[in-house]
Amino acid sequence: MSEGVKLLSYTEGQAAVQLARDTIETYLITGEMLDGSEIQLPEIFDEVRGVFVTLTINGDLRGCIGHPYADSPLRYAITDSALSAALRDPRFPPVHTSEMGNIAVEVTILTKPELVDVPPKDLPSSIKIGRHGLIVKSGYRQGLLLPQVAPENDFDEIEFLNHTCMKAGLPHDAWVTGAEVYSFEGQIFSEKGPNGEIVEKDFNDKACSSE
């Protein structure tokens, strides 16, 4: 993780995932938004952070939306992202209450995206698989892939760049032809199974092996 960025403890990471799940389940059952201001959470949840919430069923994506940039306190970024992942991901129908028993919840806390200011030929060597997530921008188009996407799909650096471009709706080689590339890091807390044990994912071994 980038220097100067305070990491969440394991207990805080557990709280982040539980907050995401509780937000979704409360809304699906009652139709009401969980009031994040009334929940007792550690102080770090009042810090302004970027975050993504990912929902999966048997390892298959069921929804993933977040705040790429730090624009609100973590507690609100999590609750908003959780509901958006469940209800507003345009790739999927809204999550139904009956699905929650099969859904695993993952929360990724992001560092500030930074421009990778190198010539296109040097972009692949500037990316560390398992450590960096990517944002590609060109005009009004923007695509983001989280750090865990590359190792979970066995992407190398060029494939990771290509897929991020395609996520933005750009040609796969847009990173070669002038699109801006930003990198960021993420701290990932995930349920091992639906409503199961919460673990912190660590892809450092993958990052080291690709160097």
Side-chain angles (χ1 to χ4, degrees):
M1 189 70 73
S2 299
E3 291 184 9
V5 177
K6 183 180 179 183
L7 298 179
L8 273 68
S9 68
Y10 174 66
T11 301
E12 291 165 345
Q14 285 181 305
V17 175
Q18 193 62 54
L19 176 61
R21 174 172 283 279
D22 289 348
T23 297
I24 297 169
E25 292 183 342
T26 297
Y27 187 85
L28 292 179
I29 293 169
T30 69
E32 297 181 359
M33 182 68 179
L34 198 66
D35 187 350
S37 65
E38 295 184 353
I39 301 172
Q40 291 292 326
L41 292 166
E43 289 184 4
I44 199 166
F45 284 81
D46 294 317
E47 294 185 8
V48 177
R49 297 285 187 99
V51 68
F52 264 73
V53 173
T54 303
L55 310 178
T56 57
I57 296 180
N58 295 324
D60 294 326
L61 187 65
R62 184 62 180 84
C64 181
I65 290 183
H67 292 223
Y69 302 94
D71 56 15
S72 58
L74 182 57
R75 65 174 68 220
Y76 300 118
I78 289 174
T79 55
D80 180 67
S81 298
L83 270 192
S84 293
L87 305 175
R88 306 182 193 112
D89 190 326
R91 298 168 291 181
F92 304 98
V95 168
H96 190 269
T97 309
S98 61
E99 292 181 89
M100 287 308 295
N102 298 315
I103 284 177
V105 178
E106 180 172 282
V107 174
T108 305
I109 315 298
L110 310 184
T111 64
K112 180 181 178 181
E114 297 183 354
L115 179 66
V116 186
D117 191 13
V118 299
K121 66 180 179 63
D122 294 329
L123 280 168
S125 62
S126 301
I127 296 167
K128 303 301 181 185
I129 295 295
R131 184 180 306 162
H132 291 145
L134 296 179
I135 297 173
V136 171
K137 292 183 180 181
S138 182
Y140 64 89
R141 295 187 181 275
Q142 173 175 308
L144 178 148
L145 289 179
L146 295 172
Q148 55 267 48
V149 170
E152 289 178 350
N153 290 278
D154 291 325
F155 291 161
D156 62 22
E157 293 82 0
I158 290 176
E159 290 171 327
F160 196 24
L161 284 160
N162 290 347
H163 279 272
T164 311
C165 290
M166 291 187 286
K167 181 72 179 294
L170 297 167
H172 73 278
D173 60 350
W175 60 275
V176 179
T177 58
E180 292 184 334
V181 177
Y182 294 77
S183 69
F184 59 90
E185 297 178 41
Q187 190 180 13
I188 308 159
F189 295 94
S190 181
E191 294 175 345
K192 291 182 71 173
N195 207 18
E197 179 189 357
I198 297 169
V199 298
E200 181 174 0
K201 290 186 175 180
D202 185 357
F203 294 105
N204 282 336
D205 288 342
K206 179 72 176 179
C208 290
S209 66
S210 66
E211 291 178 355

